[in-house]
Amino acid sequence: MPDETPSTFFLPAERLDPQSIERISRKIARSPSAVTLSLMPMAILIINDTRQIVYANARFVSLANMTDENEVIGLRIGEALGCEHADDMPGGCGTTRFCQYCGAAQAIVKSLGGDRGTQECSINRTTSTTLEALNLQVWAAPMVIEGHQLIINSILDIAHEKALRGFERIFFHDIINAVTGIKGIHDIMALDLPADYTAELDLLRRAIDDIQDIVETQRDFLAVETREYRESFSWIQTHEVLTYLAAYCQAFNHSGKRRLVVAPETAARTFFSDARIINRIMVNMIKNALEAAAPGECVTVGCDAIEGTIVFWVHNPAALSEETRMRIFEKGYSTKGEGRGFGTYSMRLFARQCLGADVTFTSSGNTGTRFELVVPV
């Protein structure tokens, strides 16, 4: 009487016999591509249509804590990596209740259907003495070798990246809470101190607000760059935006040595967009313009309504060098020394990813420099 097929909660439990697995594995090992795959710095493996490994490079063998690729041939990914659920069902990896939520399994399912798939995968693997958590990015794509329907997988260890992202979230949460606490202390002091200290208290409050803005700007920058920022659209009035920005950015006009004005011809329009991101971009533009302008010169901000767009702009009389014009939006490029160079890059990043907008500029010795935020409406 033939053996019954093991039951499954997700993917089929059937496996190819060891002799067939070995024949496919030998064919792949003899192919020219095997040499290339063996040199890849990331974990590469090839599985068949029953999800069994028929090829693994040295990087995957190392990730599996094994010494020879023959040790993983015939196994499924979770079994080779030591997933704690791989033995929960007689059918092994892919057949348990947990497998339907596994990123690697989901990527493979997509590839079995003829498409490429990419998923994050978290695996807890156990030994007799330890529990280890793997955070992996799994990429899978269908392929055919000598008539065999196969799936090639690359696996990238992203544990460091995941840990860093977690630390960043904790850092921003804690430091913003600390700044909020300092604000509360400031407000209590303002109630008790005599009027003679009003100017000092105002200066302190501005410094606190600046710290909060720096922290929140960096948080938004990282969120946008990793595509985790959540837009918040609302109705915006152009004159209100520019009036606020002109008043707020006076804090960056040290000793009032430069004039910061709103152009009288500014277009008055109401439109729907993300005010937080627009303010982020425009504050950066204005700060850069104030730094570039000489004492006594005027920085002008304004807005035009042109053919289905709202164009916010900032002008200063200084001209950019040719190298700066060519490299202005490069991430990390700066004329201001080490640790700078994310401002103009972040402006374009915010504009394109959050608003479907763009940041452009013109600069010459005759007309000065004008940066524009072009927002579709």
Side-chain angles (χ1 to χ4, degrees):
M1 180 177 178
D3 293 337
E4 292 186 6
T5 301
S7 59
T8 179
F9 287 103
F10 187 37
L11 297 175
E14 291 85 357
R15 296 177 188 254
L16 201 60
D17 62 89
Q19 293 76 21
S20 298
I21 292 287
E22 187 178 351
R23 283 196 297 271
I24 298 171
S25 181
R26 282 201 304 267
K27 288 181 181 180
I28 296 173
R30 290 194 297 264
S31 69
S33 60
V35 177
T36 302
L37 295 177
S38 69
L39 299 174
M40 296 296 290
M42 67 175 63
I44 305 289
L45 67 153
I46 298 173
I47 61 176
N48 66 355
D49 56 2
T50 56
R51 310 184 310 285
Q52 291 169 268
I53 298 171
V54 293
Y55 170 84
N57 70 354
R59 185 68 189 89
F60 180 81
V61 173
S62 175
L63 183 65
N65 287 334
M66 296 185 187
T67 58
D68 188 282
E69 71 172 72
N70 292 320
E71 295 180 77
V72 302
I73 298 299
L75 300 179
R76 290 174 175 156
I77 294 178
E79 295 160 357
L81 293 179
C83 174
E84 65 178 344
H85 300 298
D87 296 327
D88 286 1
M89 293 282 291
C93 173
T95 65
T96 77
R97 294 180 185 274
F98 298 93
C99 296
Q100 58 189 314
Y101 305 106
C102 171
Q106 291 170 5
I108 290 169
V109 166
K110 193 168 184 179
S111 292
L112 288 170
D115 296 321
R116 297 182 180 184
T118 304
Q119 292 283 340
E120 289 188 9
C121 173
S122 296
I123 291 177
N124 285 340
R125 62 180 178 183
T126 58
T127 67
S128 58
T129 58
T130 63
L131 171 65
E132 181 184 6
L134 295 177
N135 292 115
L136 308 171
Q137 182 85 32
V138 180
W139 176 81
M143 63 183 298
V144 177
I145 295 181
E146 296 188 12
H148 297 288
Q149 299 293 326
L150 305 171
I151 298 171
I152 186 169
N153 299 266
S154 67
I155 300 179
L156 184 64
D157 187 344
I158 57 171
H160 177 74
E161 177 185 338
K162 298 286 283 187
L164 182 60
R165 297 278 288 282
F167 293 147
E168 286 170 351
R169 292 188 183 96
I170 293 169
F171 168 77
F172 287 124
H173 177 269
D174 289 352
I175 199 168
I176 288 174
N177 281 349
V179 172
T180 301
I182 296 171
K183 278 186 175 181
I185 295 171
H186 167 276
D187 293 342
I188 293 171
M189 291 172 58
L191 294 174
D192 295 335
L193 290 175
D196 293 348
Y197 290 91
T198 298
E200 288 80 2
L201 286 169
D202 288 345
L203 187 63
L204 176 60
R205 181 55 182 253
R206 177 167 290 182
I208 296 170
D209 288 341
D210 286 347
I211 292 171
Q212 182 168 354
D213 182 68
I214 290 168
V215 174
E216 291 180 346
T217 298
Q218 183 64 19
R219 181 187 61 185
D220 289 346
F221 172 75
L222 291 172
V224 172
E225 195 165 47
T226 55
R227 302 182 184 275
E228 293 181 351
Y229 178 79
R230 295 182 180 179
E231 295 90 347
S232 178
F233 279 58
S234 61
W235 289 105
I236 302 169
Q237 213 286 327
T238 56
H239 265 298
E240 289 180 1
V241 170
L242 292 177
T243 301
Y244 163 77
L245 289 169
Y248 177 79
C249 290
Q250 289 294 343
F252 310 113
N253 184 17
H254 303 296
S255 304
K257 293 181 179 179
R258 298 152 183 83
R259 290 189 298 129
L260 177 57
V261 300
V262 177
E265 69 273 18
T266 287
R269 295 288 190 278
T270 300
F271 66 106
F272 198 65
S273 192
D274 190 325
R276 181 186 182 90
I277 292 298
I278 288 175
N279 286 338
R280 287 268 178 268
I281 296 169
M282 293 302 296
V283 165
N284 217 321
M285 279 189 192
I286 295 169
K287 288 170 68 175
N288 287 346
L290 288 169
E291 289 182 2
E297 290 182 336
C298 181
V299 172
T300 309
V301 298
C303 179
D304 300 326
I306 305 174
E307 298 179 354
T309 63
I310 296 294
V311 181
F312 289 101
W313 53 266
V314 179
H315 175 269
N316 77 84
L320 300 174
S321 69
E322 180 179 359
E323 181 184 2
T324 300
R325 292 198 304 272
M326 296 300 102
R327 302 182 63 189
I328 191 71
F329 292 115
E330 285 183 18
K331 183 178 180 180
Y333 174 74
S334 175
T335 61
K336 302 168 187 174
E338 291 283 334
R340 305 291 291 270
F342 294 95
T344 47
Y345 166 79
S346 71
M347 290 192 299
R348 181 166 274 184
L349 177 73
F350 284 155
R352 291 183 174 179
Q353 289 195 193
C354 299
L355 307 176
D358 203 2
V359 172
T360 62
F361 75 96
T362 57
S363 184
S364 73
N366 296 326
T367 62
T369 299
R370 171 168 159 147
F371 272 82
E372 295 183 348
L373 169 61
V374 184
V375 185
V377 293

